Structure formats: structure tokens, C-alpha cells
Amino acid sequence: MTRSATDGATPRGRSRRNFAGSRPVMDDVARLAGVSKQTVSRVLNDNPAVRAETREAVLDAMRSLGYRPSRSARSLASGRTRMLGVISFDAARYGPASTLTAINTAAQEAGYLVSSIALDTADKDTVVRAVDRLSAEGADGVIAIAPQRRVGRALAEARLDTPLVTLDNALGDGTPMVSADSRAGARAATAHLLGLGHATVWHIAGPTGWTSAEQRLASWRQTLEAAGAEVPEPFLGDWSADSGYALGRRLARRPEVTAVFASNDQMALGVLRACHEAGRRVPDEVSVVGYDDIPEAAHLLPPLTTVRTDFAELGTRSLRLLLDRLDGTDGPRTEPVVPVRLVVRDSTAPAPAPR
């Protein structure tokens, strides 16, 4: 029977050594608890085979010595480094940046550190080098924020041995994936504008090769076709407010344009400015819908109607899915599709009466 550290005694009646000036290590804990170093490792790893009294003796020794297990000690005990890797592309944009922040937060809560690599190019060699670097650092697994098709192809061709989870990109080989429901979001945005009486909806799409942009474009088209509305030729942007502004100027010159759905909020912001400069009032003459619900969306003039994506949930679910893989859980416990919702503000209104 062990006695608590508060009564001045140490486990199993042994005298406490003076560790002043040096940090206690696992060997010191084992010696004081009267067990092997392997037993201390099993306690650190929460191994159920350790007897309750032995576990308490080890924990009592840790408390008595002020021992704090290092990352390396936990790695030896569990066979893991407790470090995860993240590869991201276009990391400066709001969505990827918010997702990465959420992954970091969820990882810390789960007792993991995160090492992230932001890539500018997405060819196979670059992706493989990034994963090799994370593997060399001891990453237990990797999350790829991979919104471009070519990134998915590079990851698939690389045939990585490291446990992997992707965001917004199905590799087609059974690799777990988490994504937001872009199709549902585009459908809600387009249906909202049609429901306000607009004859059709013009679309500023994201760049070719981005999975979310392609899904929103396809869903916008399908929603118009299902409603029997004309399907205008889409305009292709690059996610930036500059491209939204340039394309918005072209749309604003066309009097038949009364409703615009932009594939992200930055491009929608550019459309708002273009309409203002052209004397096309929003929403009296032109209704505008964006996508993502960036923090500034509610403070634009007018406040922007948009589709809200929960990037924090995307990051959290991807982290849970990776931990499921590391734990060998049978089947994902995490729902892979994150719902989105339309947030209606003042940038949309009923269609203007025909002139």
C-alpha cells in the first residue's frame, strides 16, 4: 500500500533522493517506485495491463519527484511522436488559414503538436518532398489541405506510407476525406435568388481545377436547369477581389443582369464595388451572393448574403479522422461532409420590375 506524497513519505518506504539542480528522468521514477523502466513506460502509455497499485506507485513517484514526461519519453512509451504534419496550398486565403488554425487547436487539445508546410506548387515531386520532410520529423500522420485536383493526383501518385487524410479532394484510393458541402451551398444560393423572382443567376466561378469551384459551378448550372431558367455563360475568376471587380464591371454594364452568385466572398466584394461605380444599386437593381461568410461579410455595404462554411469544423473533423486512423478504429467515427448554410443579409432583394 502506498502513501500519498503529501505526508512526507515516498512510495514503498524508500527515501526520496535529492534531485536539486537536475531534472528527474524516467530511470529516477522507476528507481523510486521500485519498478522497471518498461513499467513506467506502460504507465505513461496508459497500458491497462499495469496493476492499479503499481500504477499508483509510479504516479506517486512522478508527483514526488516533480517528473514531467518529455515528448521523447512519451514517444518511447507509445511508439508515437505525438506530432502531426499538415500540408497546405494557398495558405494565405481565409478558408485554408482558418482550417489550419482549427487543426492546430484540436491537435493541442488531443496532446499533439503540428508541423505545417505551405506549398506554392503542387507537382508530385514537391508533394513527396514535403511528406518526406514531415516523416523525417517523425510525424505520426499527415493532413493535406488539398483543394486542387492536381494536388490530389500528386498525392495519389506518390503512394505514401504515412497515414493521410485530405480535405476537399477525393484521391479515389480509399484515403479518408473531409469536405464542406459545396454542391448544397451553391444550390441554396442559386435557389434563393430564383425565389426572389430573378429570371436567371449569373455566376462568377473559382479557377478551373479547384474541387470546390467545380462543384459550385456544376450545382449552379443544375439548379438553373431544374428551374427551367436560362443558363448564362459563367465567368471564371481567381478567388481574388480584383478578379471579382474586373468581371463585375463587365456584368454591371449588362442591364439584363439582376442577380450574381460569386464562388467566394472576396470576388463578391469586387462585384459590389463594380456595381457601385457603374451606378447599379445593390440590391435594388442587382442582387449579389457570395460564399464562405468571411468575418467582414456582415460589415460590407450592403451586408453580404453568403453561404457560411464552418472551417473550424472542417479542421476539427479532419483531425479526428486522422486520429481514428492512428488508433486503428474500424470505420470513421467522423461524418466526412460538413453542412453549410445560407446567411441572408441585405445584398439580395426581389427582382426589379422590368423596364
Side-chain angles (χ1 to χ4, degrees):
M1 179 176 179
T2 61
R3 299 164 64 184
S4 70
T6 57
D7 65 6
T10 55
R12 301 192 180 181
R14 285 169 169 74
S15 301
R16 175 173 175 171
R17 290 178 56 193
N18 182 10
F19 293 100
S22 65
R23 179 177 177 178
V25 296
M26 194 184 298
D27 284 331
D28 298 322
V29 175
R31 188 179 302 108
L32 186 57
V35 299
S36 68
K37 184 176 178 179
Q38 289 74 17
T39 297
V40 176
S41 294
R42 294 187 187 101
V43 172
L44 287 173
N45 198 30
D46 201 23
N47 190 316
V50 179
R51 292 184 302 170
E53 58 268 29
T54 302
R55 184 185 306 278
E56 182 56 32
V58 172
L59 294 176
D60 210 7
M62 290 180 185
R63 287 190 292 267
S64 178
L65 296 174
Y67 173 76
R68 296 291 182 269
S70 65
R71 241 181 104 208
S72 59
R74 290 188 180 276
S75 298
L76 289 171
S78 65
R80 296 185 188 176
T81 64
R82 309 295 291 185
M83 191 271 281
L84 303 175
V86 178
I87 300 173
S88 62
F89 300 82
D90 205 18
R93 287 199 310 115
Y94 172 69
S98 300
T99 303
L100 180 58
T101 298
I103 291 172
N104 272 287
T105 300
Q108 290 175 16
E109 292 174 351
Y112 284 80
L113 297 177
V114 172
S115 177
S116 60
I117 299 176
L119 299 182
D120 296 324
T121 59
D123 59 275
K124 177 183 174 182
D125 290 343
T126 301
V127 172
V128 170
R129 283 196 299 270
V131 175
D132 285 347
R133 175 181 152 188
L134 291 172
S135 297
E137 292 177 0
D140 293 324
V142 173
I143 297 173
I145 304 175
Q148 298 150 296
R149 295 267 179 218
R150 69 177 185 272
V151 176
R153 289 193 294 270
L155 287 168
E157 292 171 4
R159 302 184 182 279
L160 309 173
D161 295 328
T162 307
L164 175 69
V165 169
T166 64
L167 272 81
D168 281 334
N169 213 330
L171 304 190
D173 61 358
T175 299
M177 178 192 72
V178 178
S179 65
D181 198 344
S182 281
R183 293 183 182 277
R187 183 167 56 249
T190 308
H192 169 67
L193 291 166
L194 293 176
L196 290 171
H198 295 275
T200 190
V201 178
W202 297 73
H203 184 44
I204 297 179
T208 301
W210 290 69
T211 55
S212 57
E214 292 175 352
Q215 290 169 2
R216 292 167 199 173
L217 174 63
S219 186
W220 159 80
R221 180 178 286 114
Q222 291 164 1
T223 304
L224 291 180
E225 290 173 346
E230 175 192 354
V231 182
E233 189 69 22
F235 290 72
L236 295 181
D238 63 8
W239 299 126
S240 71
D242 285 343
S243 71
Y245 172 67
L247 297 172
R249 291 182 65 185
R250 294 167 58 184
L251 288 168
R253 290 195 292 263
R254 306 178 68 161
E256 70 272 23
V257 174
T258 65
V260 178
F261 164 43
S263 197
N264 77 338
D265 287 344
Q266 282 85 0
M267 293 192 297
L269 187 155
V271 173
L272 292 179
R273 180 189 170 191
C275 288
H276 174 74
E277 290 183 352
R280 299 289 303 278
R281 292 174 298 162
V282 177
D284 297 336
E285 297 177 68
V286 181
S287 287
V288 179
V289 176
Y291 206 107
D292 286 341
D293 196 23
I294 60 175
E296 298 82 6
H299 304 286
L300 300 175
L301 288 176
L304 183 65
T305 294
T306 184
V307 177
R308 177 174 296 168
T309 301
D310 191 340
F311 293 108
E313 184 64 16
L314 273 173
T316 300
R317 289 195 190 188
S318 66
L319 190 281
R320 290 175 187 159
L321 200 54
L322 182 57
L323 294 184
D324 283 348
R325 290 205 69 186
L326 295 176
D327 292 339
T329 303
D330 293 332
R333 293 175 292 177
T334 300
E335 174 58 44
V337 179
V338 176
V340 298
R341 72 181 182 90
L342 182 70
V343 179
V344 178
R345 298 194 179 102
D346 295 342
S347 67
T348 54
R355 295 181 180 179

